[in-house]
């Protein structure tokens, strides 16, 4: 089982030095890690949407650690393009079976990757699992998390999650149609009417059709293809 880990970074250096440091410390041997660093300027207007200093410090931290970095300049790509770049790297360039994506404001626990390895093997045996996560429900008290350690539930957010190459390929045609709607636009100015029409053309998505973020769209594509997501109740 070949696994790629994508760490998606922006300008929160005070968090990145902690969260990326943890990823590096517990990354299993043989798993590939790449940092996807976004820029701080809107492409259309050149207006700042983030801290240039934060981006520079984040890049310097990753470079000093000798990490593989995908950085394409100060233009802000936004999360939809960042996730697509990570997926294309893992599944088309690296030939991975599994991609695990982690955003820069999440501090994973030391058991996170060990649990994700088990979930990944389960997903590879169950082709309708579209996403899985061991990040769990951190709002639960620790005692409740321990008591529910053998329970699973639908995944909440796509902030620290995995997906399989085979399921991503199932959704890719519709995903690329969605990306065409965003082409040449800043992510925060995504065309709401066009995205609504796109979502209306999908099946089994009534419960998420009002969520127009890339997170919501990827969940809708999963449902459209008959998939489901799963996460542990404990937050690992």
């Amino acid at each position: 089982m070949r696994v790629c880990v994508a760490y998606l970074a922006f300008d929160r250096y005070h968090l990145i030095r902690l969260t990326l440091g943890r990823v590096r410390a517990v990354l299993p041997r043989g798993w590939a890690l790449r940092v996807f660093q976004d820029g701080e300027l809107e492409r259309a207007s050149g207006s700042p949407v983030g801290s240039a200093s934060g981006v520079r410090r984040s890049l310097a931290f990753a470079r000093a650690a000798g990490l593989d970095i995908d950085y394409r300049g100060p233009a802000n790509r936004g999360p939809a393009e960042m996730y697509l770049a990570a997926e294309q790297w893992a599944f088309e360039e690296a030939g991975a079976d599994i991609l695990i994506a982690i955003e820069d404001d999440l501090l994973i626990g030391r058991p996170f990757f060990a649990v994700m390895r088990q979930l990944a093997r389960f997903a590879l045996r169950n082709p309708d699992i579209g996403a899985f996560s061991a990040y769990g429900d951190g709002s639960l008290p620790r005692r409740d998390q321990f008591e529910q350690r053998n329970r699973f539930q639908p995944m909440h957010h796509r902030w620290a999650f995995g997906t399989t190459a085979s399921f991503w390929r199932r959704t890719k045609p519709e995903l690329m149609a969605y990306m065409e709607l965003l082409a040449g636009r800043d992510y925060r100015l995504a065309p709401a009417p066009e995205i609504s029409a796109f979502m209306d053309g999908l099946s089994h998505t009534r419960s998420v059709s009002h969520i127009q973020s890339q997170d919501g769209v990827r969940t809708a594509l999963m449902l459209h293809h008959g998939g489901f997501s799963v996460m542990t109740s404990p937050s690992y």
Side-chain angles (χ1 to χ4, degrees):
M1 180 176 69
R2 180 167 176 76
V3 180
C4 286
V5 177
Y7 178 89
L8 282 71
F10 187 33
D11 64 346
R12 295 171 283 200
Y13 172 71
H14 62 293
L15 295 176
I16 289 170
R17 64 188 182 88
L18 298 175
T19 60
L20 181 55
R22 174 63 59 82
V23 169
R24 291 182 60 225
V26 299
L27 186 75
R29 182 176 299 178
W31 288 17
L33 171 63
R34 179 174 289 186
V35 175
F36 290 81
Q37 175 68 57
D38 208 354
E40 75 278 5
L41 300 178
E42 282 190 343
R43 283 179 294 197
S45 67
S47 300
V49 292
S51 164
S53 173
V55 170
R56 286 196 301 270
R57 295 179 76 188
S58 298
L59 278 169
F61 181 80
R63 286 168 176 157
L67 298 178
D68 188 14
I69 302 170
D70 180 309
Y71 175 63
R72 305 182 188 181
N76 185 265
R77 291 186 275 173
E81 287 190 25
M82 294 281 282
Y83 272 102
L84 179 61
E87 291 158 348
Q88 290 175 327
W89 162 63
F91 300 137
E92 297 181 344
E93 178 183 335
D97 304 297
I98 298 288
L99 169 66
I100 297 172
I102 302 173
E103 295 192 7
D104 61 6
D105 57 348
L106 295 181
L107 182 64
I108 62 172
R110 293 188 178 276
F112 177 80
F113 285 131
V115 179
M116 288 294 281
R117 188 197 300 271
Q118 296 180 51
L119 293 175
R121 289 172 175 160
F122 180 63
L124 289 172
R125 296 193 301 267
N126 294 268
D128 288 334
I129 295 180
F132 55 89
S133 178
Y135 200 72
D137 188 352
S139 67
L140 290 175
R142 289 190 176 182
R143 180 173 179 174
D144 291 347
Q145 290 189 44
F146 177 77
E147 291 175 348
Q148 298 180 29
R149 63 191 180 278
N150 295 320
R151 296 183 184 177
F152 297 90
Q153 57 185 293
M155 199 173 78
H156 291 178
H157 301 287
R158 292 172 177 257
W159 294 338
F161 73 99
T163 191
T164 65
S166 60
F167 199 91
W168 179 76
R169 292 189 183 102
R170 280 165 64 178
T171 65
K172 184 181 176 184
E174 292 88 357
L175 176 61
M176 298 311 293
Y178 163 69
M179 295 303 300
E180 282 294 320
L181 298 177
L182 303 181
R185 304 173 188 259
D186 291 313
Y187 177 73
R188 71 180 186 86
L189 300 177
E194 289 91 334
I195 294 176
S196 292
F198 172 79
M199 298 277 271
D200 288 343
L202 302 176
S203 305
H204 315 302
T205 59
R206 182 176 298 178
S207 62
V208 297
S209 60
H210 62 289
I211 306 174
Q212 296 193 349
S213 66
Q214 66 86 27
D215 192 332
V217 169
R218 280 179 163 80
T219 299
L221 294 179
M222 178 186 71
L223 296 172
H224 176 67
H225 283 274
F228 64 97
S229 63
V230 62
M231 75 175 189
T232 57
S233 287
S235 180
Y236 293 101

